[in-house]
Amino acid sequence: MAVTHLSGSNGRIEFTLDGLTFRRTRSAAAARGVGRLHQVGWSAIDRATVTSSATGKPVLEIQVVGAAPVERRKHDPHALKLKRGMGDEARGFADLVNHEVATRRRWQSAAAVDA
C-alpha cells in the first residue's frame, strides 16, 4: 500500500485529493512564515524530490510553482526532514506525488486538445 502521509522531525505531510497538506508545530510554522496548517494544491506542485540533510537524514522537498526561494532548507515551508531510517518511505511518497502531478498534467493536456 502506498504511503499517504509522512511524519518528520518538524511536522507532517499528507496526500489529499486537493493536494498536499503540511502540519507543523507553532514554532516550525513561524520559522517558515506559514500557518500551522499549510495546503498546496496539485496545480501549484511541480515535483517532489528526496535529498539528504548535512547529517544524512532524508529530506522530502516539494517544488512549488511560483514559490520564493529560501536561503536555507531549514526555513523551506515545502520541505520535511525525516528520521534517518525513513528514506524508502520518503522515496515512495515522492513517487506517489510525482505520479499524481504527471497524471493531472496529462488530463489538462488532453482537455486542452479537446477544447
Side-chain angles (χ1 to χ4, degrees), residues 67-90:
V70 292
E71 290 180 28
R72 297 176 59 196
R73 184 186 303 149
K74 183 177 182 177
H75 301 294
D76 188 350
H78 306 111
L80 183 68
K81 186 192 288 187
L82 304 166
K83 295 180 180 170
R84 194 171 307 282
M86 295 183 67
D88 290 338
E89 291 94 338

Side-chain angles (χ1 to χ4, degrees), residues 23 29 43 51 72-73 89 96 100 108:
R23 297 176 186 273
S43 61
T51 59
R72 297 176 59 196
R73 184 186 303 149
E89 291 94 338
L96 184 64
E100 183 69 22
Q108 290 172 347

Side-chain angles (χ1 to χ4, degrees), residues 5 10 12 14 18 21-22 41-43 55 73 93 110:
H5 69 276
N10 57 17
R12 176 182 171 100
E14 299 171 356
D18 298 323
T21 302
F22 294 84
W42 289 117
S43 61
T55 59
R73 184 186 303 149
F93 191 88

Side-chain angles (χ1 to χ4, degrees), residues 15 17 42 95-105 107:
F15 187 99
L17 291 174
W42 289 117
D95 289 344
L96 184 64
V97 169
N98 290 331
H99 177 74
E100 183 69 22
V101 168
T103 300
R104 289 176 182 266
R105 285 185 183 149
W107 288 344

Side-chain angles (χ1 to χ4, degrees), residues 6-11 13 50 53 56-60 80-87 89-91 93:
L6 290 174
S7 294
S9 58
N10 57 17
I13 185 171
V50 178
S53 69
K57 294 180 181 180
V59 177
L60 177 68
L80 183 68
K81 186 192 288 187
L82 304 166
K83 295 180 180 170
R84 194 171 307 282
M86 295 183 67
E89 291 94 338
R91 284 184 286 281
F93 191 88

